[in-house]
Amino acid sequence: MKIEDISKKTDQLIRIEQSDLMPLPYPYDNPEKNPPMKMLTQEQRDRYEASLDGVLAIGIPKPQSAAEEKTFIDKFLSGLAKLFTKENNWTFLQPLMHSLEYCVKCQLCNDSCPAYIASGKKEIYRPTFRPEVLRRIINKYLKKSPLSPPPSQGGPGGLWLKFTGSDIDLNWITVARLAELAYRCTLCRKCAQVCPLGVDNGLITHEIRKLFSQELGIAPKELHEQGTIQQLKVGSSTGLSPKALSNIISFMEDDIEEKTGKRIKIPVDKKGAEILLMHNAGEFISWPENPEAFAIIFDAAGIDWTLSSELVGYDAVNYGVWYDDIQLARIAIAHAETAKKLKVKKISVGECGHSHKAMIVVADRVLTGDLNIPRESALPLLEDLVCNERIKIDPNKNNFPVTLHDPCNMVRLMGIVEPQRKILRKICPQFIEMEPHGVENYCCGGGSGFAIMQSMNFPDWRSVISGRVKLKQILETFHDTISPEIKKYVCAPCSNCKGQIRELFNYYNVWEECGIFYGGLVELIVNAMVDIEKPFIDWEWH
Amino acid sequence: MNIFLALLTYFAYIFIIVMYTIKIVKYLRLPVHLRWDLYPVIHEEKYRYGGSYFEGLNWWTGARQKSFWRALRYLMRDYLYLESYLKKNFSYWLVLYTSHISFVLLIIFQILIIVGALLSLNDIEVSRTSPNISGYFLYRFTQFTGPACFIAGIAGNSGLLITRFANSDLRLYTSSFMYFGYVFHIVLSLSGLIFWLYDGYSFLQYREFWKGLFILNPVSANTVLTCFIILINLHLIYLPFTRAIHYITRLFAFFLIRWDDEPNVRGSMLEKKLIKLFDQKVSWSAPHIQTGKKWNEQ
Ligand code: SF4
Ligand code: SF4
């Protein structure tokens, strides 16, 4: 396959075949026994542009007329031009220019990409493929060089463009495929980490997503309409309203009492509290045991804390960080305003990787003046409570094999590596590291929004391709204890990673076949607390 | 011909200096961006395992330990032997390193020739029998760097040409312009090597040529030297159109992007810059954006 093939009208650029995929270890070492990827229906194919790889993350409807095609291309080009203007894209202009201009195409980064290796090295998933397509479009259609206009526009461009390797045709299919392709990279930035020249192919993907969202209004609906738009409107990307939150909090208080025998009042909207704890609202709905565990720990340690019931303030997520700078800024400001109103001393982010990165790191240059409220991860505080014995722990209660998944956003992109490990070393006698780990970890496959994207057959792609390396790592880590009789635990201190691991394990039936469970970090802490009599982890698959 | 060679040389040097200055200034004048750090950040105290100051409780209260020199040393080490390539792909490293060495030696060679010309203008003999120690060593260094650069240039660039053509992954991403670059370096190196042999290993005529340039009195050059001078000048003109400036931009990418972990503090210069940036109008036109309004009004 050549790069310029992205513009050619073919049924599908690549096909994902079981036999091409990276092999998995036992008990998934027979590719024929592994579940096949769902195919799109004919109706879906007729309706949407699916000629990239037969998978749909966005699902762009096919154009009905030549005029519609032209508008689409023109808008794409106008958006592309805006990416290079200071007023529209000061946010990432310097990193973007660097990454576009200084890649020497040595391909050193290729083998660090989980999607590329898992797919059996399909060309379109190569970290350098997307950037190269974009570079060619820019060189041919955007740059004002006297040599670059194509012959159709009166320049000698044809030959020159071929000579300089900028040969590509911009048509509807190129643009639609590029939009889909921007959602085959998890923005894990492992490729960027190995690049000797500081080029960041993940960043280029991020910028392509932005151009589609900010100029054409195109983004996966789970990130946009049901994500950031819904969060700003009803308070949470989950659709959770303040009223529903209040019901869940009551439920959590009852649940804590049932599990621990203690009645804990979960503080909400407590003015002047030391800490405003912000969770990914998905925790309240899918894994309430996680915010419950936080409440138990904070109560036991006598921490002065509160949750918020303010719109947006009870959902730490900020999907804008993956696809849209304006949405990122709006949500970051809403988060900070919640804290400002409550007059808390600081915001502490619970177990959600991208919320960490968005709220603490990226939004640091969005929040100015009195909105710049101190923000930190909850992990150093937990480390302090556990390692300095501010809560009593009996590690024998966690005497089962445990491994740690490093969420990219928290670790490679933020440098929070040791607090979670120090805790696990203290509370889990059978803690074992995955390889590679820490800042060199592999993404769970659900990064950059993938974990919540449910479009058509995209969830299958996520389990078969983007999560494949993580599954392999987990199976290899528990290689010696792989029998389902031995219960094992993957600690993933991130809601999105947990969502992805749940789907991945469901897809391959990992709980039944290998006895591998998953959950957060605080659940393990509470499970080991001396004054909690019953086990907190119930080993009930959900 | 003398005048043409002289003018071409003046032009080539002015051109590359102007072009590179424009590129660097353009890069550095780009606005401050949102944070996009990537760990390990080498100036951080916990760089060994990729830790950051975010690992500390109330991180904004503690004093930051930041080692600029460690970060610089780390980058320099990679400059010295292209460590990342050495670790990941030895055969590619071998040809790449050889070609990089030739490039660096070419710069050193040019400097030695220019300094040699200046010494001669000051009546210091540059030769193997020079009574002046600087003249003697300069001569010897030039004698070594010249041929070493040309041989490495032929070997490294031929190696790169073959490797990029033979490896299908690399071939797909190699343009004719890149192949042209390798061939150009080979031809330039060959011409230098021929001149060295022809000139009796001394580079005397080339130094004389540079002397003429300094006193604005162009001297004539024989055909072999003329070819070499034309090629070396064309090379200087060609460089700004390549990614060769990555020697410098790489430093910016690490310090200004990948390792930029500077927190935004209330009342700081950084905050002032950000407030200005938020005061710009946005022309994005998606339905959820208020086109024409400022960032801070969205
Ligand atoms: S991104 Fe970096 S490592 Fe990858 S091909 Fe480009 S220069 Fe090489
Ligand atoms: S950011 Fe991650 S998923 Fe995307 S190309 Fe790089 S390594 Fe692959």
Side-chain angles (χ1 to χ4, degrees), chain A residues 178-189:
Chain A
L178 188 61
E180 266 297 333
L181 194 53
Y183 291 90
R184 300 294 184 277
C185 156
T186 64
L187 309 186
C188 73
R189 300 173 67 206

Side-chain angles (χ1 to χ4, degrees), chain A residues 82 87-88 91 98 105 123 163 189 192-193 196 324 346 364-365 369 372 376 412 414-415 417-418, chain B residues 27 33-34 36 39 52 55 58-59 164 173 177 250 258 260 264 266 271 283-284 286 288 295:
Chain A
K82 286 174 197 171
E87 63 279 15
N88 282 304
T91 45
H98 177 84
K105 299 167 193 181
E123 189 58 43
F163 180 66
R189 300 173 67 206
Q193 197 183 39
D324 192 304
K346 62 181 175 186
D364 193 45
R365 293 186 183 169
N372 191 356
E376 70 178 4
R412 179 167 37 254
M414 209 179 154
V417 188
E418 270 297 306
Chain B
Y27 197 117
H33 49 84
L34 297 186
W36 201 242
Y39 291 79
S52 72
E55 289 193 339
N58 298 326
W59 58 264
R164 291 207 71 113
Y173 290 80
F177 185 65
R250 179 172 174 264
R258 191 188 282 197
D260 175 11
N264 173 23
R266 282 195 209 177
E271 187 183 63
S283 68
W284 293 108
H288 65 284
W295 279 86

Side-chain angles (χ1 to χ4, degrees), chain A residues 1-3 75 79 82-83 86-88 90-95 97-98 101-108 123 126 128-129 132 163-165 189 192-198 200 203 206 213-215 217 224 229 324-328 330 346 357 360-362 364-370 372 374-376 380-381 384 411-419 439, chain B residues 23 26-40 49-60 75 78 84-85 88-89 92 164 168-170 172-178 180 242-243 245-246 249-250 252-254 256-258 260-266 270-271 274-275 277-278 280-291 295 298:
Chain A
M1 204 198 126
K2 291 195 190 130
I3 289 138
K75 278 211 119 186
K82 286 174 197 171
L83 274 187
K86 290 183 187 172
E87 63 279 15
N88 282 304
W90 62 269
T91 45
F92 285 99
L93 188 56
Q94 193 176 52
M97 300 266 276
H98 177 84
E101 285 179 20
Y102 295 106
C103 169
V104 293
K105 299 167 193 181
C106 63
Q107 311 305 339
L108 201 72
E123 189 58 43
R126 192 196 286 272
T128 47
F129 182 84
E132 187 58 18
F163 180 66
T164 52
R189 300 173 67 206
Q193 197 183 39
V194 299
C195 177
L197 297 173
D200 188 338
L203 184 267
H206 176 263
S213 175
Q214 296 180 180
E215 189 69 2
H224 193 59
I229 298 268
D324 192 304
D325 289 347
I326 307 261
Q327 294 296 81
L328 163 88
R330 287 173 175 161
K346 62 181 175 186
K357 174 77 179 171
I360 303 170
V361 187
V362 184
D364 193 45
R365 293 186 183 169
V366 171
L367 304 173
T368 52
D370 54 4
N372 191 356
R375 301 168 311 279
E376 70 178 4
L381 174 61
D384 178 46
V411 181
R412 179 167 37 254
L413 312 189
M414 209 179 154
I416 301 182
V417 188
E418 270 297 306
V439 290
Chain B
K23 279 190 178 223
K26 215 173 125 194
Y27 197 117
L28 293 176
R29 289 188 60 187
L30 288 170
V32 61
H33 49 84
L34 297 186
R35 273 180 65 174
W36 201 242
D37 352 354
L38 189 63
Y39 291 79
Y49 64 83
S52 72
Y53 56 79
F54 291 125
E55 289 193 339
L57 191 56
N58 298 326
W59 58 264
W60 53 92
L75 286 177
D78 209 53
S84 331
Y85 289 96
K88 291 218 162 216
N89 186 342
Y92 191 71
R164 291 207 71 113
S168 58
D169 284 357
L170 293 170
L172 196 58
Y173 290 80
T174 310
S175 64
S176 308
F177 185 65
M178 286 167 84
F180 165 80
T242 69
R243 292 183 204 88
I245 202 177
H246 69 242
T249 56
R250 179 172 174 264
F252 299 157
F254 278 79
L256 302 179
I257 303 170
R258 191 188 282 197
D260 175 11
D261 61 351
E262 200 52 40
N264 173 23
V265 176
R266 282 195 209 177
L270 176 60
E271 187 183 63
L274 293 167
I275 291 171
L277 290 167
F278 269 93
Q280 302 180 93
K281 284 188 181 152
V282 171
S283 68
W284 293 108
S285 64
H288 65 284
I289 291 172
Q290 305 193 56
T291 314
W295 279 86
Q298 288 294 323

Side-chain angles (χ1 to χ4, degrees), chain A residues 238-295:
Chain A
T238 57
L240 187 74
S241 65
K243 172 127 190 26
L245 175 76
S246 151
N247 291 340
I248 291 180
I249 290 176
S250 305
F251 160 80
M252 282 165 45
E253 286 170 346
D254 294 343
D255 202 39
I256 291 173
E257 189 170 15
E258 196 185 312
K259 285 177 182 162
T260 66
K262 289 185 185 173
R263 184 79 197 168
I264 293 174
K265 177 84 195 120
I266 296 179
V268 180
D269 297 332
K270 182 177 164 197
K271 284 235 154 86
E274 177 82 19
I275 294 173
L276 166 63
L277 179 64
M278 282 199 181
H279 291 294
N280 177 324
E283 299 284 355
F284 294 118
I285 294 170
S286 300
W287 303 282
E289 64 275 16
N290 183 278
E292 284 170 16
F294 267 102

Side-chain angles (χ1 to χ4, degrees), chain B:
Chain B
M1 197 58 172
N2 311 355
I3 299 285
F4 166 73
L5 276 189
L7 288 178
L8 181 66
T9 311
Y10 291 133
F11 173 76
Y13 276 84
I14 293 170
F15 183 78
I16 193 168
I17 291 170
V18 170
M19 288 296 278
Y20 272 10
T21 310
I22 291 174
K23 279 190 178 223
I24 291 170
V25 170
K26 215 173 125 194
Y27 197 117
L28 293 176
R29 289 188 60 187
L30 288 170
V32 61
H33 49 84
L34 297 186
R35 273 180 65 174
W36 201 242
D37 352 354
L38 189 63
Y39 291 79
V41 169
I42 304 299
H43 62 234
E44 280 294 312
E45 212 181 348
K46 302 163 187 167
Y47 73 99
R48 281 185 203 283
Y49 64 83
S52 72
Y53 56 79
F54 291 125
E55 289 193 339
L57 191 56
N58 298 326
W59 58 264
W60 53 92
T61 55
R64 283 183 64 199
Q65 304 286 330
K66 202 172 156 181
S67 170
F68 170 77
W69 293 112
R70 187 192 312 119
L72 197 63
R73 264 203 315 275
Y74 173 91
L75 286 177
M76 290 306 155
R77 211 177 57 210
D78 209 53
Y79 274 126
L80 272 185
Y81 58 96
L82 307 181
E83 193 182 8
S84 331
Y85 289 96
L86 180 60
K87 276 187 194 156
K88 291 218 162 216
N89 186 342
F90 180 75
S91 58
Y92 191 71
W93 172 84
L94 198 62
V95 287
L96 188 71
Y97 191 62
T98 314
S99 86
H100 273 72
I101 287 283
S102 86
F103 189 78
V104 173
L105 287 178
L106 185 64
I107 297 170
I108 297 173
F109 170 72
Q110 281 292 102
I111 294 171
L112 290 173
I113 289 289
I114 293 169
V115 175
L118 288 172
L119 289 185
S120 297
L121 283 173
N122 287 291
D123 295 331
I124 295 172
E125 190 187 326
V126 179
S127 76
R128 72 188 142 96
T129 54
S130 174
N132 183 296
I133 190 127
S134 320
Y136 173 79
F137 276 110
L138 201 95
Y139 176 82
R140 287 292 184 206
F141 278 142
T142 317
Q143 248 196 339
F144 168 76
T145 48
C149 149
F150 304 138
I151 291 165
I154 295 167
N157 286 287
S158 310
L160 276 175
L161 186 94
I162 295 165
T163 311
R164 291 207 71 113
F165 189 74
N167 179 313
S168 58
D169 284 357
L170 293 170
R171 189 169 58 232
L172 196 58
Y173 290 80
T174 310
S175 64
S176 308
F177 185 65
M178 286 167 84
Y179 288 124
F180 165 80
Y182 301 134
V183 173
F184 189 11
H185 278 104
I186 295 168
V187 172
L188 170 65
S189 304
L190 261 176
S191 84
L193 201 63
I194 293 170
F195 169 62
W196 175 63
L197 295 169
Y198 185 83
D199 189 48
Y201 317 116
S202 70
F203 296 112
L204 177 66
Q205 292 185 53
Y206 192 30
R207 256 190 306 274
E208 290 300 310
F209 172 77
W210 268 95
K211 266 167 77 177
L213 288 181
F214 281 124
I215 54 172
L216 304 177
N217 184 15
V219 297
S220 59
N222 59 43
T223 317
V224 181
L225 178 60
T226 301
C227 284
F228 177 62
I229 292 173
I230 290 177
L231 282 170
I232 210 159
N233 287 328
L234 289 180
H235 183 247
L236 292 177
I237 297 167
Y238 151 87
L239 278 179
F241 298 100
T242 69
R243 292 183 204 88
I245 202 177
H246 69 242
Y247 283 96
I248 301 167
T249 56
R250 179 172 174 264
L251 284 176
F252 299 157
F254 278 79
F255 283 113
L256 302 179
I257 303 170
R258 191 188 282 197
W259 296 342
D260 175 11
D261 61 351
E262 200 52 40
N264 173 23
V265 176
R266 282 195 209 177
S268 63
M269 271 303 290
L270 176 60
E271 187 183 63
K272 287 190 183 97
K273 280 186 196 166
L274 293 167
I275 291 171
K276 266 198 186 157
L277 290 167
F278 269 93
D279 202 35
Q280 302 180 93
K281 284 188 181 152
V282 171
S283 68
W284 293 108
S285 64
H288 65 284
I289 291 172
Q290 305 193 56
T291 314
K293 289 205 167 171
K294 293 176 179 173
W295 279 86
N296 52 19
E297 296 163 345
Q298 288 294 323

Side-chain angles (χ1 to χ4, degrees), chain A residues 144-165:
Chain A
K144 304 255 182 314
S145 144
L147 287 172
S148 64
S152 58
Q153 293 167 21
L159 272 180
W160 176 252
L161 289 166
K162 270 203 165 71
F163 180 66
T164 52

